[in-house]
Amino acid sequence: MFDDVSTSSLKVSVAGLAARQTAIADNIANIETPGYQARKVKFEEALSSAVAHGQSPSTVKPSVQDSLEPTRLNGSNVNLDQETLSHIDTTMRYQLSIRALDGKYGLIRDAIKGA
């Protein structure tokens, strides 16, 4: 009941998006740190591939990679504009995923109550 593909996918999505928010916060906090390499979190392609190939979405783990953005004079490659947009996009996706999970659990709660 709680291990169906959509619920597992949503759980992986929430975990991946939370990891991305952490990476974005770290990137912004280190924007002026000389030599700091921004991090990017990826999981969407792996999640999509797992679902397409009939594998359990719960096996997908977010991967953290260094950004390939060009570096500034201090050696940091944090792009504040890109990080800000990524933060907004990630926040919206996170909220949508949480609402979807809440909706699924709400249906189960209603079924148990007999409503």
Side-chain angles (χ1 to χ4, degrees):
M1 179 182 299
F2 297 108
D3 274 348
D4 62 286
V5 173
S6 62
T7 302
S8 295
S9 296
L10 286 167
K11 288 179 181 179
V12 169
S13 179
V14 167
L17 292 167
R20 183 172 292 150
Q21 285 291 58
T22 300
I24 291 167
D26 289 346
N27 292 344
I28 293 172
N30 287 290
I31 194 166
E32 294 299 329
T33 302
Y36 180 80
Q37 294 297 297
R39 298 182 340 217
K40 301 292 178 197
V41 174
K42 300 196 180 278
F43 67 92
E44 291 94 344
E45 288 179 19
L47 179 57
S48 177
S49 177
V51 170
H53 292 97
Q55 299 169 339
S56 173
S58 61
T59 62
V60 175
K61 303 294 181 221
S63 67
V64 180
Q65 303 165 351
D66 286 339
S67 172
L68 300 176
E69 289 289 315
T71 57
R72 297 191 331 262
L73 293 176
N74 70 354
S76 171
N77 71 342
V78 177
N79 179 327
L80 184 58
D81 292 338
Q82 184 178 13
E83 296 297 330
T84 302
L85 289 174
S86 184
H87 168 69
I88 293 167
D89 179 70
T90 302
T91 299
M92 291 173 66
R93 290 174 188 258
Y94 184 87
Q95 289 173 349
L96 181 63
S97 296
I98 291 295
R99 285 184 187 160
L101 274 173
D102 186 51
K104 285 188 70 69
Y105 291 136
L107 290 173
I108 293 169
R109 188 173 41 251
D110 289 345
I112 291 171
K113 287 180 179 178

